Amino acid sequence: MYETSWRGLLERVEIELSSNPNDLDVIKKSITSGFFPHSARLQKNGSYRTVKHPQTVNIHPSSGLSQVLPRWVIYHELVLTTKEYMRQVTELKPDWLVEIAPHYYQMKDVEDPGSKKMPRGQGLASSQLGS
C-alpha cells in the first residue's frame, strides 16, 4: 500500500523512479537534507563542534563511527550522559550543507581551515567517501 502511494505521487509529478543501492551518497544527502541543522565538524582533540550553534559533542561510543571519526557528520539527536553524545550519525561532505540548505549555511561555515591537522588516524573516513 505505502509503496503504491509514493509511486503514484512520483508519476503524478512526473519524477522518474530510479535507484542504485550502491550509491550511498544519495542516501547520505537525503539524510542531510532532513537534518542539516545537526551538523558537526571534527576538532583537533577528537571531539566535534556543532556548526551553527557551537557546542562540543562526541560520537556515541556504541556507534560504528566512534573509532573512525569522520571529519564531518550529521546526527539525529544529542544525548547527555557524562558527555553530550550524538546518536544516529553518518558522514557527510561539507559542500552538501551549502548545496542543500543555502538559506542556512554559507561557504564560510563549511570551509576547511586548511592547515589544521587532525589527530593521527582520525578523519580517515573522508578519504573513503571519495571526492
Side-chain angles (χ1 to χ4, degrees), residues 90-107:
T90 193
E91 184 173 19
L92 72 111
K93 294 179 183 175
D95 295 347
W96 293 347
L97 296 171
V98 177
E99 177 186 335
I100 290 168
H103 60 285
Y104 196 79
Y105 291 102
Q106 298 175 347
M107 280 307 294

Side-chain angles (χ1 to χ4, degrees), residues 61-107:
S62 66
S63 171
L65 290 179
S66 66
Q67 299 302 311
V68 178
L69 297 178
R71 288 182 186 236
W72 286 86
V73 295
I74 247 355
Y75 61 91
H76 172 254
E77 65 182 350
L78 293 175
V79 176
L80 178 61
T81 58
T82 56
K83 295 180 182 178
E84 194 84 36
Y85 286 111
M86 298 179 285
R87 300 227 356 213
Q88 291 86 35
V89 178
T90 193
E91 184 173 19
L92 72 111
K93 294 179 183 175
D95 295 347
W96 293 347
L97 296 171
V98 177
E99 177 186 335
I100 290 168
H103 60 285
Y104 196 79
Y105 291 102
Q106 298 175 347
M107 280 307 294

Side-chain angles (χ1 to χ4, degrees), residues 28 32 36-43 47-52 59 65 68-75 86 89-98 105-114 118 122-127 129:
K28 290 178 181 182
T32 301
F36 65 86
H38 298 175
S39 62
R41 175 188 296 175
L42 183 63
Q43 302 299 297
S47 68
Y48 285 81
R49 192 90 176 143
T50 56
V51 178
K52 272 302 201 174
I59 295 179
L65 290 179
V68 178
L69 297 178
R71 288 182 186 236
W72 286 86
V73 295
I74 247 355
Y75 61 91
M86 298 179 285
V89 178
T90 193
E91 184 173 19
L92 72 111
K93 294 179 183 175
D95 295 347
W96 293 347
L97 296 171
V98 177
Y105 291 102
Q106 298 175 347
M107 280 307 294
K108 67 177 183 158
D109 296 321
V110 300
E111 286 174 343
D112 193 4
M118 289 292 121
Q122 295 179 354
L124 296 176
S126 61
S127 64
L129 250 183

